[in-house]
Amino acid sequence: MKALYAQRNSPGEEMTFVFQERENLPPSRAHDVKVQVRACALSCVDTKLLAEIKLKKELVPVGREISGVVLEVGSKVTFFQPDDEVVGILPLDSEESGVCEVILVHEHYLAHKPQKVCWAEAAGTLRDGLRAYTALHYLAPVSPGSSVLVLDGASPFGTIAIQLAQHRGAKVISTAHSLEDKQYLERLRPAGGVRQPLVARVIDVSHGKIDLAESCLEETGGLGVDIVLDAGVRLYSAEDEAGSRCQLLPHKHDIITLLGVGGRWITTERNLQLDPPDSHSLYLKGATVSFLNEEVWNLSSVQQGKYLAILEDIMDKLSNGIFRPQLDEAIPLYEAKVSMEIVQKNQARKRQVIQF
């Protein structure tokens, strides 16, 4: 039985991915569930976060979002029984690789999967759904009539965030990084055959000629946006930050300018730096900045009930057609290594899912 792992190299070198043979599973504990994996979504291995929480392993398990069937349960497992269909996100310190046919998972990391939801969609929506819920339900609760700006809305995460915000009654504005992304966003429609588009306005930033703040203020009648969900920001001038991706990101000053009174900025930029004038502008607007790190749910067991409720709700919205993830074609196991290399380099525009 093969499992996929990331191998740490010397500093500065790219991470490599290797298959390791596993003869036997470790002894199961009372709360463990043995799962036959049917699909596993690939996501980038966050080496910085692993280093910060002192998780130093030579081989890091790859593939944490899984869907599958329960084979056996431990003596104290109460939520599951054999043949149940389940989904879950393996914790950061897990010894198990999700890219493996059979794994052991603690029952507190699993939720039930509706039968009508396919394996690939279940695994491929988990992380983006969790991030969207963390941002738009806990950090900045969306209410009917509020305006939400989702940057890079055609990404897997952006797509789910748009669908959740629109379902909650918000007016959604989004940016597109290419003509293809713009066309995709303009075609998005709510579930149930409604003709009204999910996105009220798509702003194409691929040419660098559009003033994002001006466009958002125009769309909101000069009031500004209630919630901003970024996909990274530029901290310095365009000349100081190289790379085509950086050029597509808005400057932090643009975000602050387009925020409305009492606005909430949810950022994925872990190294965000705010100068005193930036803080003063936020103070005058009574605005707040929150950092989006979905890993906090698994780093502490304090909110375990809420976390499992989120997973159940993600599956419910998938089942009802409210969530329609941005997935690539299912990938066979023998191509997992190549696909993971693409994911690690942030070169995949759709969610990559390994199908067993």
Side-chain angles (χ1 to χ4, degrees), residues 115-130:
Q115 285 193 338
K116 66 186 287 189
V117 175
C118 75
W119 303 110
E121 284 194 349
T125 312
L126 275 178
R127 178 171 295 277
D128 296 318
L130 179 62

Side-chain angles (χ1 to χ4, degrees), residues 85-99:
E85 297 183 359
V86 295
V87 296
I89 301 177
L90 305 181
L92 276 170
D93 60 354
S94 173
E95 299 292 333
E96 301 280 355
S97 164
V99 186

Side-chain angles (χ1 to χ4, degrees), residues 20-335:
Q20 293 280 315
E21 282 291 343
R22 296 186 62 187
E23 293 181 5
N24 296 304
L25 289 173
S28 61
R29 294 162 297 185
H31 287 281
D32 280 346
V33 177
K34 184 186 282 189
V35 178
Q36 181 180 8
V37 179
R38 292 295 180 85
C40 175
L42 301 179
S43 49
C44 192
V45 177
D46 193 338
T47 52
K48 288 183 180 178
L49 182 59
L50 290 174
E52 284 168 3
I53 62 174
K54 307 294 190 255
L55 270 179
K56 296 182 179 178
K57 303 176 188 174
E58 189 179 338
L59 291 174
V60 181
V62 166
R64 293 172 49 211
E65 304 93 66
I66 59 108
S67 61
V69 180
V70 175
L71 297 176
E72 297 175 17
V73 297
S75 58
K76 293 185 178 179
V77 172
T78 55
F79 297 116
F80 305 100
Q81 55 190 15
D83 297 325
D84 280 355
E85 297 183 359
V86 295
V87 296
I89 301 177
L90 305 181
L92 276 170
D93 60 354
S94 173
E95 299 292 333
E96 301 280 355
S97 164
V99 186
C100 185
E101 291 178 1
V102 179
I103 60 173
L104 288 175
V105 190
H106 193 287
E107 67 170 328
H108 290 166
Y109 295 115
L110 295 172
H112 289 278
K113 179 188 83 67
Q115 285 193 338
K116 66 186 287 189
V117 175
C118 75
W119 303 110
E121 284 194 349
T125 312
L126 275 178
R127 178 171 295 277
D128 296 318
L130 179 62
R131 295 185 83 202
Y133 262 87
T134 305
L136 301 177
H137 184 78
Y138 287 99
L139 297 178
V142 175
S143 55
S146 56
S147 54
V148 179
L149 171 63
V150 178
L151 296 164
D152 191 14
S155 66
F157 167 54
T159 297
I160 297 296
I162 286 170
Q163 291 165 355
L164 179 61
Q166 197 277 340
H167 178 68
R168 295 277 176 91
K171 175 183 181 179
V172 182
I173 307 168
S174 183
T175 60
H177 287 184
S178 66
L179 178 60
E180 186 183 358
D181 287 354
K182 182 174 185 287
Q183 292 170 342
Y184 168 76
L185 290 169
E186 288 173 343
R187 288 195 304 268
L188 279 178
R189 294 290 184 273
V194 181
R195 291 189 177 184
Q196 180 187 358
L198 276 177
V199 184
R201 180 167 179 178
V202 180
I203 303 168
D204 187 352
V205 297
S206 59
H207 304 297
K209 298 174 183 175
I210 299 290
D211 187 320
L212 178 63
E214 187 179 310
S215 299
C216 290
L217 290 169
E218 178 187 316
E219 188 63 32
T220 56
L223 297 176
V225 174
D226 297 316
I227 299 169
V228 177
L229 184 51
D230 74 31
V233 293
R234 279 191 289 120
L235 303 178
Y236 312 105
S237 63
E239 293 77 24
D240 296 334
E241 294 188 272
S244 58
R245 183 180 178 276
C246 282
Q247 303 303 322
L248 296 172
L249 298 177
H251 197 281
K252 60 181 178 179
H253 295 151
D254 295 332
I255 301 288
I256 294 169
T257 302
L258 62 84
L259 267 178
V261 172
R264 287 157 291 182
W265 174 12
I266 312 300
T267 183
T268 58
E269 182 58 62
R270 69 178 73 193
N271 297 317
L272 181 68
Q273 298 176 33
L274 294 177
D275 302 317
D278 301 330
S279 298
H280 187 64
S281 296
L282 290 168
Y283 163 75
L284 290 175
K285 293 184 176 189
T288 58
V289 179
S290 300
F291 291 87
L292 177 57
N293 175 17
E294 74 279 4
E295 298 292 358
V296 294
W297 296 103
N298 278 334
L299 289 173
S300 168
S301 58
V302 174
Q303 307 283 356
Q304 199 70 34
K306 288 181 180 178
Y307 169 66
L308 292 176
I310 292 173
L311 297 189
E312 297 275 3
D313 208 39
I314 291 168
M315 289 300 107
D316 184 55
K317 284 184 169 49
L318 254 183
S319 178
N320 294 329
I322 295 164
F323 283 169
R324 283 155 293 145
Q326 175 78 297
L327 302 183
D328 216 335
E329 290 184 14
I331 301 161
L333 181 60
Y334 63 84
E335 290 183 9

Side-chain angles (χ1 to χ4, degrees), residues 156 328 339 342-343 345-352:
D328 216 335
S339 298
I342 294 170
V343 169
K345 293 174 184 174
N346 286 318
Q347 293 175 348
R349 283 299 287 166
K350 293 183 179 181
R351 182 64 65 195
Q352 307 292 300

